[in-house]
Amino acid sequence: MAKNDDQFKKVISHAKEYGYVFQSSEIYDGLSAVYDYAQNGVELKKNIRDYWWKAMVQMNENIVGIDAAIFMHPTTWKASGHVDAFNDPLIDNKDSKKRYRADVLIEDYVGKLDTKIEKEVAKAAKRFGDAFDKAQFLATNPRVLQYKEKGAAILKRMGQSLEKEDLADVKALIEELGIACPESGSKNWTDVKQFNLMFGTKLGASADSAMDLYLRPETAQGIFVNFLNVQKTGRLKIPFGIAQTGKAFRNEIVARQFIFRMREFEQMEMQFFIKPGTQQEWYEHWKEARMKWHLSLGMGEDNYRFHDHEKLAHYADAAADIEFRFPFGFKELEGIHSRTDFDLSQHEEFSGKKLQYFDHEENKSYVPYVLETSIGLDRMFLAVFSNSLKEEELENGTTRVVLKLPAVLAPTKAAVLPLVKKDGLPEVARKIVDDLKWDFNVAYDEKDAVGRRYRRQDAAGTPFCITVDHDTLEDNSVTIRHRDTMEQKRVKIEELRAIIKQEVDMRSWLMKM
Ligand code: GAP
């Protein structure tokens, strides 16, 4: 098994074993690409959402939040273009009967060229040692340049063909590149067809009066239709933003990468309303701001990169993804889209209501342009979780599995462990839990030897273990053990709050932005 597949399998089984993510309705053999968050998962997910909300809404005076309904008037989706254009290009393999997204097959082919580039870099780094200049190598090595050019040309052609709805050329490209079905190796493909991703449902009791609805495929439209309500009641001046987090639904064709691509998922989106003509400047601003947010979590600069879109969505005049190095390679984590005035103008047209802003400085009304940042909460969860899972060799020859989650996001910040279950130690430990729980999510654990309890907390991602022993009864001190360094220190009980706060407080993490 390839190393990356192996690592990904470990991520999935660890997420289950430690109460992070379960397959939905598992007792009925599950539902494809639908997942439930378990007791630890729900905390990690909430902490990621809070980290985003703090940075996006509460730290920006000109950005406010809303929580729009999942059901929206069906004309919304006609206006937004989703009824006509929210499609994925599908292709079937005639031999294996497996269905694929044609664009994903091509992107995966280009991904393999990227892997070849990485291998060239690793080889050269080994050869040149300290003298190796990665940037220069990437810019000048003929083989790297050849791979890059080939990848860019493929993506360009695919983007243009999809833009023009030339699906025959997309198939031709797959055939020219010799792309085979990943399951069977067969190159016997059907034509490429478009498939709409929205889930339909009905509102109302009787069959003849029921109204056809869609489950929202993005949260953004709930923001657009509320744009004027929020602007007026909040007396907001352009530029300003509206943010929300919430569920979105897509009938994904290829959904086999755990929580990377789900049919029911959560988005964290922000629409920033700006003066027409300023979109380039705000596009750059939000690309940089969002990358800083990611980097503040300390998950390694090398694990992120920008990818400019060749194929623009029906609403965008510029778009880039922030890609993350998942166990299966670099993939989209977040999108930054310059959406022009497409959505508001469309809603004006379809609703017959004016959705304009009166600019007092310019003394005129206009439909604002929109810059959007859109990140999948589940995808961010996977990025954080997969990047944090490590297997470490210890000095004594044993190994430990540790989930090095950024402490600010960890579900449980500290576990309090009485060394033994007697002599009054559990009572002291419980008192510490009762005090710390006002500020942090803390756990109490008295089962098994303390070493095993440390390992259990390491694997669950708890940044601190606090051990109460017999000396505690004499001098009010405890041992605090750090998950990542395994360093242990003796401290007073009354110091615990400040020590934990220093490491888990959002302020100190977000200050790194
Ligand atoms: N409002 C714009 C929009 O929805 P998108 O690129 O389609 O743009 C934005 O989606 C983000 O939502 C993606 O970058 C990804 O993180 C997340 N996302 C999209 N589809 C997803 C799915 N099926 N499962 C999990 N996350 C998804």
Side-chain angles (χ1 to χ4, degrees):
M1 189 186 299
K3 197 168 145 242
N4 289 351
D5 288 351
D6 199 23
Q7 173 61 11
F8 191 37
K9 287 206 163 134
K10 283 185 185 160
V11 165
I12 298 170
S13 67
H14 197 87
K16 178 169 181 196
E17 194 181 338
Y18 284 88
Y20 277 86
V21 184
F22 299 150
Q23 175 80 58
S24 155
S25 12
E26 196 190 70
I27 59 166
Y28 295 105
D29 297 332
L31 189 61
S32 163
V34 186
Y35 291 90
D36 296 339
Y37 286 89
Q39 65 277 16
N40 282 324
V42 72
E43 295 285 344
L44 173 56
K45 197 173 169 205
K46 179 181 179 304
N47 292 343
I48 297 172
R49 195 191 294 111
D50 289 350
Y51 195 68
W52 181 87
W53 191 265
K54 184 84 203 166
M56 189 58 91
V57 180
Q58 298 178 345
M59 298 303 292
N60 285 303
E61 238 175 76
N62 60 347
I63 300 182
V64 296
I66 64 164
D67 183 15
I70 286 171
F71 291 141
M72 299 184 70
H73 192 283
T75 311
T76 309
W77 306 110
K78 193 80 198 137
S80 67
H82 284 82
V83 170
D84 297 322
F86 193 53
N87 301 317
D88 272 347
L90 266 188
I91 191 163
D92 291 291
N93 186 274
K94 289 185 196 163
D95 296 323
S96 68
K97 309 279 180 255
K98 291 277 169 199
R99 178 163 281 188
Y100 297 95
R101 265 177 61 178
D103 56 334
V104 170
L105 284 178
I106 297 169
E107 277 166 8
D108 284 351
Y109 180 93
V110 174
K112 284 186 191 139
L113 297 177
D114 287 343
T115 311
K116 285 185 182 167
I117 294 176
E118 280 180 25
K119 280 192 185 145
E120 293 292 334
V121 170
K123 263 199 298 186
K126 213 163 154 194
R127 193 161 5 113
F128 295 116
D130 287 346
F132 181 58
D133 180 341
K134 186 175 167 187
Q136 195 195 358
F137 181 78
L138 284 173
T140 55
N141 179 272
R143 206 168 295 160
V144 167
L145 293 179
Q146 204 185 343
Y147 290 140
K148 273 200 209 166
E149 270 167 34
K150 184 172 179 191
I154 293 170
L155 291 177
K156 188 165 179 202
R157 176 164 158 203
M158 179 183 83
Q160 286 169 344
S161 305
L162 288 172
E163 197 85 40
K164 287 188 292 192
E165 290 274 321
D166 185 355
L167 299 181
D169 190 57
V170 177
K171 182 182 178 187
L173 184 55
I174 288 176
E175 287 176 337
E176 279 168 39
L177 296 172
I179 296 176
C181 165
E183 290 269 324
S184 64
S186 152
K187 295 179 185 169
N188 192 9
W189 296 109
T190 62
D191 288 341
V192 179
K193 287 174 290 206
Q194 292 289 23
F195 174 80
N196 193 286
L197 298 183
M198 283 199 294
F199 281 107
T201 184
K202 289 202 181 289
L203 181 90
S206 83
D208 16 305
S209 64
M211 189 185 211
D212 285 318
L213 292 189
Y214 294 104
L215 296 185
R216 67 180 178 198
E218 62 170 10
T219 57
Q221 297 304 323
I223 293 179
F224 289 123
V225 300
N226 278 300
F227 151 74
L228 213 52
N229 281 341
V230 175
Q231 188 270 320
K232 290 219 159 115
T233 54
R235 296 148 54 91
L236 297 167
K237 279 209 181 111
I238 271 177
F240 71 90
I242 306 178
Q244 80 166 323
T245 68
K247 289 272 176 143
F249 304 83
R250 295 182 191 178
N251 197 2
E252 297 283 359
I253 307 153
V254 183
R256 50 163 181 259
Q257 280 166 321
F258 191 38
I259 55 171
F260 180 80
R261 202 179 298 287
M262 301 159 90
R263 297 204 162 100
E264 173 181 341
F265 58 101
E266 192 166 336
Q267 289 187 313
M268 306 191 287
E269 299 202 298
M270 193 278 298
Q271 315 297 133
F272 201 66
F273 298 90
I274 55 176
K275 207 184 273 191
T278 61
Q279 65 267 36
Q280 186 59 32
E281 169 193 325
W282 285 112
Y283 178 60
E284 297 305 331
H285 168 89
W286 281 108
K287 272 174 74 175
E288 193 187 328
R290 292 304 302 147
M291 186 58 103
K292 278 191 182 158
W293 180 84
H294 285 285
L295 295 181
S296 73
L297 287 168
M299 298 204 296
E301 219 166 307
D302 280 357
N303 288 327
Y304 300 87
R305 68 182 189 194
F306 282 112
H307 169 244
D308 294 323
H309 283 207
E310 292 293 337
K311 182 203 170 211
L312 291 174
H314 58 273
Y315 49 71
D317 73 352
D321 293 335
I322 293 178
E323 293 188 337
F324 184 76
R325 195 197 299 267
F326 288 97
F328 37 84
F330 270 104
K331 293 275 174 204
E332 173 186 349
L333 171 59
E334 169 158 11
I336 293 117
H337 311 127
S338 172
R339 289 183 81 130
T340 66
D341 58 355
F342 175 85
D343 301 87
L344 290 179
S345 300
Q346 287 288 105
H347 287 305
E348 272 202 326
E349 192 184 322
F350 279 76
S351 67
K353 313 256 162 50
K354 280 227 167 307
L355 291 175
Q356 303 204 352
Y357 170 80
F358 183 74
D359 191 323
H360 288 274
E361 278 164 29
E362 304 236 341
N363 201 27
K364 66 172 191 201
S365 293
Y366 54 79
V367 177
Y369 269 40
V370 171
L371 219 292
E372 167 184 75
T373 72
S374 174
I375 175 168
L377 176 48
D378 313 85
R379 234 173 242 195
M380 184 64 194
F381 184 112
L382 182 59
V384 170
F385 192 89
S386 59
N387 188 66
S388 301
L389 186 61
K390 314 272 179 208
E391 224 172 276
E392 288 182 348
E393 301 264 337
L394 301 181
E395 275 172 15
N396 63 7
T398 60
T399 54
R400 72 161 181 159
V401 174
V402 53
L403 191 61
K404 291 186 165 176
L405 298 170
V408 65
L409 303 180
T412 305
K413 305 304 186 199
V416 187
L417 323 171
L419 190 62
V420 289
K421 267 193 271 182
K422 55 182 187 182
D423 305 335
L425 302 190
E427 288 76 5
V428 178
R430 288 260 181 225
K431 259 178 92 176
I432 295 174
V433 169
D434 283 344
D435 181 47
L436 291 179
K437 74 184 178 191
W438 288 94
D439 299 284
F440 318 107
N441 198 17
V442 284
Y444 173 84
D445 188 3
E446 60 174 24
K447 208 162 167 267
D448 300 323
V450 77
R452 285 189 69 179
R453 281 181 269 169
Y454 284 157
R455 289 287 173 274
R456 196 151 60 222
Q457 295 299 334
D458 285 348
T462 310
F464 293 106
C465 282
I466 297 157
T467 307
V468 174
D469 56 23
H470 292 93
D471 287 346
T472 310
L473 305 177
E474 306 296 321
D475 62 5
N476 237 15
S477 68
V478 288
T479 300
I480 186 161
R481 173 186 178 273
H482 201 281
R483 176 196 66 196
D484 298 347
T485 58
M486 294 190 291
E487 196 183 74
Q488 304 191 11
K489 253 204 218 149
R490 205 68 197 170
V491 301
K492 293 283 180 207
I493 290 175
E494 58 270 24
E495 290 174 274
L496 286 172
R497 205 168 133 239
I499 294 171
I500 300 170
K501 187 170 183 320
Q502 201 184 359
E503 290 232 6
V504 307
D505 196 25
M506 243 190 236
R507 169 190 280 257
S508 49
W509 287 79
L510 283 173
M511 291 277 251
K512 291 183 222 150
M513 269 181 75

